[in-house]
Amino acid sequence: MVFLNWKKNESLRVVVQVAIAFFVLCLLLTLHRYYSFYATYDQGIFNQVFWNGTRGHFFESSLSSALSTNVVHQNQIPDVSYHRLGQHFTPSLMLWLPIYSLFPSPVTLTVLQVTLITVAGLVLYALARHYLEPRLSATIVVSYYAANAVIGPTLGNFHDSCQTPLYIFSLLLAMEKRTWPLFGILATLMLAVREDGGVVLFGVGVYLILSRRYPLTGLAVCILSFGYMILLTNLIMPLFSADISQRFMMERFGQYADGDEASTLEIIWGMASNPGRLIEQLFTPFFGKIKYLLGQWLPLALVPAVAPASWTIAGFPLLKLFLAKGESVLAINIRYAMTVVPGLFYGAILWWADRQQEEDQIRSGKKTSLRFPNAMFPFPSSAKFRRFWAFCICLSLFFTFTSNPNRTFSFILPDAIEPWVQVPLIRQWQHVSQVRPLLAEIPADASVAATNTIVPILSSRREILRFPMFELRNDAGKAVKMEYVIADMWQLQQYQAAFRRERGQLQEIVPQIDRLSKSGEYGIVGFEDGAILMRKGAVSDSASVAAWASFRRELEPILKQG
């Protein structure tokens, strides 16, 4: 491929061009995903957290409260003053609050995410250039922008892990330049990303120790990151809620616990005291985990598989994923995959640096043989390997596109073949144009319950829930029902034929609408293209009621399915 054969003085220009292309394409696709109602709940959660933050209610969210153990396990109603820090400790998000204050919109978060991940690639180029010649450095950056684990999470809802590549690449560059004050600042920021941000940082510390480059610094990083995670999850986060021990630890690592709740220390002890279960979890499903590793290694031509530093740094976030349960931990298109990326790429840089040195020694006659497994790989100057690397990059892009990350390409690709499920671009925007007038009828300060894909659009408000929930506790401590209910069932109707989750949502939403409308507590004031708008205490509009009744009859066979 041409981009693997450019002249040395063209490398930076190629990197900038590829970065611009990545930024523009990802931004267009994510904006389309948001405006066509394909963004989902998490986008709404983060937007509400930021929106509340601009009004002094830091980290509060009624949407997060609906996921708390108080609601899920104890059947309490959500609370607008619930602090999300009990679920995920993410103080670094406040760095971006001034930007959000200038442009208070869910779109701001989308632009921020794409920007952070794009800039991380430019820092990666500077990091690679510390060791490698320009063309090889540029190729590594192209691999980054073509990685499924980078593109997939970028095209999804906003997530806190979008900061991870930028912080870790910058931290490693500061380490290479021996700029230790900046190293300390970036290490602190990495810990502030999430409660598990220390896992990635711990891998960096272990590398510094095992490589013998800065063993004392590495030891300090390991102690800081591990100690911070233990202190945070056992003492600080429980001050906000019991979610970390009663819900999140149990959902991911409950197989290592005996009771209904467990702290991180109890989970660690459960792993250590039951090595058989630990090993079983680590290697099963075997082929699923091999597939995941190949997906992570592919854009770098499989080099991380034999790069010791890649295993050292990326091994700890990988271990966290492999020891957890749930399908999402092995999903390369969501945020968890991004925590593995920095270690893989830095390890590949170091491997190529050693490889270049070995090639120079062979050519000068100082060395006649290569270490295993390095001997299995050709030199960087090999035209055959450059072609293979180009093939791997193209294959990574192909697999990323065909996997349809976060349904971003649903306007092009079918979501299912048998039965066939595919929503054309024109039809998506026809639906949007019909639902927008219903959304416009909801006042900006009104409380609202909305279905999953509508939540992000309406999340810039104090009181919002995901329907069929419609009751919460307000700032006065009083249980109140939402003033408006809007349920968009059109997309669920399209996907239910092939996806059980969408069918289940329909079977939960429709009976709730029936109950609210038949009781007279809510009136049906609008219906367009599978989306219904209801208002508390309103008189139903006869045309809207008739349209809903007609649509309801279409759904009847679906509601009766198992």
Side-chain angles (χ1 to χ4, degrees), residues 491-511:
Q491 192 181 119
L492 298 177
Q493 184 187 32
Q494 308 307 308
Y495 285 96
Q496 60 78 31
F499 299 99
R500 183 177 299 177
R501 184 178 63 178
E502 276 75 5
R503 191 183 314 130
Q505 289 178 21
L506 270 177
Q507 292 170 343
E508 188 177 10
I509 289 169
V510 173

Side-chain angles (χ1 to χ4, degrees), residues 33-56:
R33 182 175 177 271
Y34 171 79
Y35 284 114
S36 61
F37 301 160
Y38 272 74
T40 52
Y41 199 62
D42 279 1
Q43 185 83 14
I45 288 178
F46 281 103
N47 181 66
Q48 191 187 33
V49 167
F50 274 92
W51 187 87
N52 275 329
T54 61
R55 286 154 177 78

Side-chain angles (χ1 to χ4, degrees), residues 245-476:
S245 60
Q246 294 184 8
R247 182 168 171 237
F248 290 93
M249 282 290 110
M250 298 305 296
E251 287 179 359
R252 290 300 181 200
F253 303 101
Q255 66 271 33
Y256 308 108
D258 295 325
D260 295 330
E261 63 178 285
S263 67
T264 50
L265 285 173
E266 289 170 332
I267 294 296
I268 292 172
W269 172 248
M271 292 177 178
S273 60
N274 197 332
R277 185 186 303 169
L278 184 76
I279 293 172
E280 178 186 4
Q281 185 71 43
L282 183 62
F283 290 101
T284 56
F286 180 76
F287 291 107
K289 288 179 177 176
I290 292 297
K291 178 183 176 183
Y292 181 83
L293 288 173
L294 290 174
Q296 289 276 12
W297 297 337
L298 183 60
L300 286 166
L302 309 183
V303 163
V306 296
S310 289
W311 284 105
T312 303
I313 300 176
F316 289 94
L318 268 175
L319 187 66
K320 173 180 171 289
L321 295 178
F322 280 15
L323 293 180
K325 61 181 178 179
E327 295 180 2
S328 62
V329 295
L330 294 182
I332 203 168
N333 285 322
I334 63 176
R335 61 186 180 274
Y336 306 119
M338 194 164 277
T339 61
V340 181
V341 168
L344 295 182
F345 276 80
Y346 181 65
I349 290 170
L350 297 181
W351 188 89
W352 278 115
D354 288 342
R355 192 66 171 161
Q356 279 187 335
Q357 187 176 10
E358 288 180 334
E359 181 177 12
D360 293 340
Q361 291 175 346
I362 289 287
R363 287 179 172 176
S364 65
K366 296 179 181 179
K367 197 172 187 179
T368 57
S369 61
L370 297 173
R371 303 187 309 271
F372 179 84
N374 288 8
M376 300 172 59
F377 283 75
F379 290 122
S381 60
S382 167
K384 182 178 180 180
F385 185 76
R386 289 202 301 269
R387 288 193 295 269
F388 174 69
W389 197 348
F391 172 75
C392 288
I393 290 173
C394 292
L395 203 59
S396 179
L397 288 170
F398 173 77
F399 286 143
T400 302
F401 175 69
T402 55
S403 68
N404 191 12
N406 303 290
R407 290 183 175 168
T408 302
F409 301 110
S410 290
F411 62 96
I412 301 174
L413 299 173
D415 286 276
I417 304 298
E418 183 58 43
W420 183 269
V421 176
Q422 200 270 323
V423 183
L425 179 66
I426 294 177
R427 183 65 185 93
Q428 286 183 3
W429 284 98
Q430 285 177 343
H431 177 69
V432 170
S433 66
Q434 294 182 69
V435 175
R436 279 289 177 184
L438 296 181
L439 297 175
E441 294 185 33
I442 302 174
D445 58 348
S447 60
V448 60
T451 44
N452 196 37
T453 57
I454 302 299
V455 163
I457 308 293
L458 298 175
S459 56
S460 296
R461 63 189 69 229
R462 184 72 170 155
E463 299 176 4
I464 180 171
L465 292 171
R466 177 166 54 182
F467 192 72
M469 285 187 178
F470 66 99
E471 186 176 8
L472 54 68
R473 196 169 304 280
N474 63 16
D475 284 309

